C-alpha cells in the first residue's frame, strides 16, 4: 500500500511540474540543481492547451525570409554551450514547479509595458516608435550579472505592442534577473506576452507560447561573469502567411534559430502589425522602495561605452522592409534621471566595427528613485 501511495504521489508531482501535462518526456536535461528541461512531443506541449488554440495548427518555420532578418556585423553573441538537444519532433520545456507557476502569475500582473499607465516602483530607459504599423523589431543588446534583491527585477528587452481604449496586446523578450521568480541571481532569457484575455504570461509557465526549436528554449539561464557582458540578437516579427508572432535568435556565423511563436489567436490588436516597437531597460523596485541596478550598473557618461547597450536596432515596416529604427520618429524614455541614464548616438562603440544607431543606458539604482 505504501508503494502505491508513493507512486500516486510521484504521478501527481509529475503532472504539476509538467504544467498539467499528462505526456511523458522522451528525454530530460538537468542543467543545474533546480533547472530541468523535458523533451516533450511538439504536438503535446503545454502551450497548445490554451483554450484559444483548440484548432490551432503548428507552424514549424517562419515564412519571413532570411534577408529580411539580416544582422549587421557586430560583436559575437554569447554562446550558451549547448546542453539541450532534444530528439526530433520534441521540444525543450522548462520543468515548472508549483511555486514557479504561482510566482510567474504574480510577476506577470506587475510586468510593465510602455502602453500602460505608470507602474509604481517601475523605472525605464529606452527608445520607442509609435508610428506603426510595424511587422517586427530586432536588436543586438547586452546582458550583465547584477546584484538584484529577491523582491526586485531588472531586465533588458525588445518589444512590440498595440493598445486600444482599455485593451493592450504586447510581446517582449530579452534578458532578465528576477530572483523571486527563478530563485537565483543568474541572467535568464525570457519571453512575455499579454493578449486579448487581458492576462500576461512568462515563458511556458502557462499555455500560449508554442516552442519549435529543439535546442534553444524560450527561457534559459546564462552564467555570466561579473563585469563581462553577454550579447544577444533577438527578432520579434509577424509571419507573412499566418500572422503568428515569432521570436528568432539571429546568429552571425550560424543559421538563425526560430525559437517559437505566439499564435495570432491570442491577440485581437495585432492582426495587421503592431502600432509600437521599442527597446530598453526596466527595473522594478523592492517593497521598501529601493531600485536595483539597470544595464550593467553604470551610468552612460560622455563618450565612454561602459554601460548597457542596444545597437543595430532595426524594424520591419508594414511592407516587411527592414529599416533602422531612427528612420522613423522615435521617443526617448527616461523617467528617473536621478538613478538612471540614457545616451543616444551613431558612433563606433567597438573598434573597427560600425554599428550605426545605438544607445547606452543604465545606472546603479540602490536608492529610492521615486514612484
Amino acid at each position: 500500500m505504501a508503494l502505491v501511495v508513493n507512486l500516486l504521489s510521484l504521478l501527481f508531482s509529475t503532472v504539476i511540474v509538467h504544467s498539467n501535462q499528462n505526456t511523458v518526456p522522451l528525454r530530460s536535461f538537468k542543467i543545474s540543481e533546480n533547472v530541468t528541461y523535458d523533451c516533450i512531443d511538439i504536438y503535446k506541449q503545454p502551450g497548445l492547451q490554451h483554450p484559444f488554440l483548440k484548432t490551432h495548427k503548428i507552424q514549424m518555420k517562419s515564412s519571413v525570409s532570411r534577408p529580411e532578418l539580416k544582422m549587421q556585423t557586430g560583436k559575437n553573441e554569447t554562446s550558451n554551450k549547448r546542453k539541450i538537444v532534444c530528439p526530433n519532433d520534441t521540444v525543450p520545456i522548462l520543468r515548472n514547479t508549483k511555486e514557479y507557476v504561482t510566482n510567474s502569475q504574480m510577476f506577470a500582473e506587475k510586468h510593465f509595458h510602455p502602453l500602460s499607465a505608470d507602474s509604481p516602483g517601475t523605472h525605464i530607459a529606452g527608445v520607442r516608435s509609435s508610428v506603426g504599423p510595424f511587422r517586427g523589431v530586432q536588436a543586438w543588446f547586452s546582458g550583465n550579472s547584477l546584484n538584484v534583491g529577491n523582491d526586485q527585477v531588472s531586465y533588458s528587452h525588445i518589444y512590440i505592442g498595440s493598445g486600444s481604449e482599455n485593451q493592450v496586446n504586447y510581446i517582449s523578450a530579452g534578458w532578465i534577473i528576477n530572483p523571486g521568480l527563478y530563485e537565483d541571481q543568474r541572467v535568464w532569457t525570457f519571453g512575455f506576452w499579454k493578449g486579448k484575455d487581458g492576462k500576461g504570461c512568462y515563458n511556458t509557465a502557462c499555455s500560449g507560447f508554442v516552442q519549435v526549436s529543439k535546442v534553444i528554449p524560450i527561457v534559459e539561464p546564462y552564467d555570466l561573469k561579473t563585469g563581462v557582458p553577454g550579447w544577444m540578437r533577438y527578432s520579434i516579427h509577424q509571419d507573412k502567411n499566418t500572422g503568428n508572432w515569432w521570436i528568432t535568435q539571429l546568429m552571425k556565423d550560424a543559421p538563425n534559430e526560430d525559437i517559437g511563436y505566439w499564435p495570432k489567436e491570442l491577440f485581437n490588436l495585432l492582426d495587421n502589425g503592431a502600432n509600437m516597437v521599442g527597446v530598453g531597460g526596466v527595473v522594478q523596485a523592492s517593497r521598501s522602495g529601493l531600485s536595483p541596478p539597470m544595464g550593467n550598473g553604470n551610468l552612460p557618461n560622455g563618450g565612454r561605452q561602459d554601460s548597457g547597450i542596444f545597437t543595430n536596432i532595426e524594424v520591419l515596416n508594414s511592407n516587411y522592409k527592414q529599416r533602422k529604427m531612427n528612420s522613423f520618429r522615435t521617443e526617448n524614455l527616461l523617467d528617473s534621471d536621478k538613478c538612471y541614464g540614457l545616451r543616444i548616438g551613431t558612433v563606433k562603440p567597438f573598434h573597427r566595427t560600425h554599428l550605426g544607431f545605438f544607445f547606452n543606458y543604465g545606472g546603479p539604482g540602490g536608492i529610492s528613485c521615486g514612484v
Side-chain angles (χ1 to χ4, degrees):
M1 175 62 72
L3 177 61
V4 172
V5 171
N6 288 337
L7 288 174
L8 287 174
S9 175
L10 178 61
L11 177 60
F12 179 71
S13 299
T14 302
V15 170
I16 290 176
V17 298
H18 293 305
S19 304
N20 297 321
Q21 191 176 303
N22 57 11
T23 185
V24 177
L26 186 60
R27 188 176 180 184
S28 296
F29 294 87
K30 185 174 183 179
I31 64 173
S32 63
E33 182 61 30
N34 298 316
V35 180
T36 299
Y37 290 88
D38 295 314
C39 296
I40 302 296
D41 186 325
I42 190 171
Y43 296 101
K44 297 180 180 180
Q45 60 178 294
L48 294 173
Q49 296 174 4
H50 196 285
F52 294 164
L53 304 180
K54 290 181 179 179
T55 61
H56 181 77
K57 183 178 180 180
I58 291 182
Q59 182 182 4
M60 292 299 187
K61 196 175 186 63
S62 169
S63 67
V64 177
S65 65
R66 289 302 179 258
E68 291 165 325
L69 293 180
K70 61 182 180 296
M71 195 64 202
Q72 307 298 326
T73 302
K75 197 172 181 68
N76 289 334
E77 65 275 352
T78 298
S79 174
N80 206 16
K81 294 181 180 178
R82 271 306 139 227
K83 301 175 182 178
I84 304 170
V85 181
C86 283
N88 290 337
D89 299 321
T90 69
V91 291
I93 303 296
L94 179 66
R95 186 176 294 181
N96 297 335
T97 63
K98 192 154 85 171
E99 291 77 15
Y100 173 78
V101 173
T102 300
N103 289 337
S104 70
Q105 292 171 345
M106 177 189 68
F107 280 108
E109 291 177 0
K110 299 191 299 182
H111 188 93
F112 174 79
H113 55 82
L115 282 163
S116 70
D118 290 341
S119 176
T122 299
H123 300 289
I124 60 176
V127 177
R128 73 178 176 188
S129 179
S130 303
V131 293
F134 296 104
R135 300 294 185 173
V137 62
Q138 68 181 50
W140 172 59
F141 54 108
S142 62
N144 297 270
S145 176
L146 298 169
N147 184 16
V148 176
N150 287 335
D151 57 350
Q152 298 175 326
V153 184
S154 182
Y155 57 96
S156 304
H157 65 154
I158 65 173
Y159 57 86
I160 64 95
S162 291
S164 174
E165 297 179 348
N166 295 324
Q167 283 191 309
V168 168
N169 287 183
Y170 179 77
I171 298 172
S172 73
W175 302 102
I176 190 169
I177 302 175
N178 188 339
L181 177 59
Y182 298 110
E183 300 183 338
D184 62 31
Q185 282 277 347
R186 285 184 291 184
V187 181
W188 289 67
T189 57
F190 80 96
F192 177 86
W193 66 277
K194 186 172 185 179
K196 61 185 178 183
D197 62 359
K199 298 178 181 179
C201 183
Y202 277 103
N203 310 317
T204 52
C206 59
S207 56
F209 179 76
V210 179
Q211 176 75 34
V212 171
S213 172
K214 66 178 185 178
V215 294
I216 301 181
I218 183 66
V219 54
E220 188 175 18
Y222 278 66
D223 294 307
L224 301 182
K225 296 180 180 179
T226 301
V228 180
W231 299 95
M232 182 70 69
R233 295 164 169 160
Y234 265 172
S235 166
I236 298 174
H237 56 278
Q238 186 174 31
D239 191 82
K240 285 184 174 181
N241 297 332
T242 66
N244 299 325
W245 286 89
W246 281 84
I247 177 170
T248 299
Q249 184 168 340
L250 306 179
M251 306 292 191
K252 180 182 178 183
D253 299 317
N256 297 334
E257 183 73 18
D258 292 328
I259 298 173
Y261 63 91
W262 293 271
K264 66 177 181 180
E265 293 93 332
L266 301 175
F267 309 103
N268 62 333
L269 303 177
L270 297 176
D271 289 347
N272 297 308
N275 293 338
M276 178 192 67
V277 294
V279 298
V282 181
V283 297
Q284 293 176 1
S286 65
R287 287 184 292 272
S288 64
L290 295 181
S291 293
M294 183 192 295
N296 66 356
N298 296 325
L299 287 166
N301 296 319
R304 297 170 58 193
Q305 310 297 328
D306 58 357
S307 52
I309 188 171
F310 278 82
T311 190
N312 284 28
I313 308 167
E314 310 270 350
V315 301
L316 291 178
N317 67 15
S318 59
N319 296 319
Y320 287 90
K321 301 299 182 182
Q322 187 165 305
R323 299 287 184 265
K324 293 185 181 299
M325 186 176 180
N326 62 339
S327 64
F328 296 87
R329 187 173 68 252
T330 60
E331 176 185 3
N332 299 342
L333 305 175
L334 180 66
D335 70 339
S336 180
D337 55 9
K338 177 174 70 172
C339 298
Y340 307 104
L342 174 68
R343 190 176 71 85
I344 296 174
T346 55
V347 300
K348 300 179 181 180
F350 296 100
H351 183 56
R352 294 182 180 175
T353 304
H354 185 268
L355 296 174
F357 176 59
F358 80 98
F359 72 88
N360 294 106
Y361 72 102
I367 61 174
S368 177
C369 298
V371 297

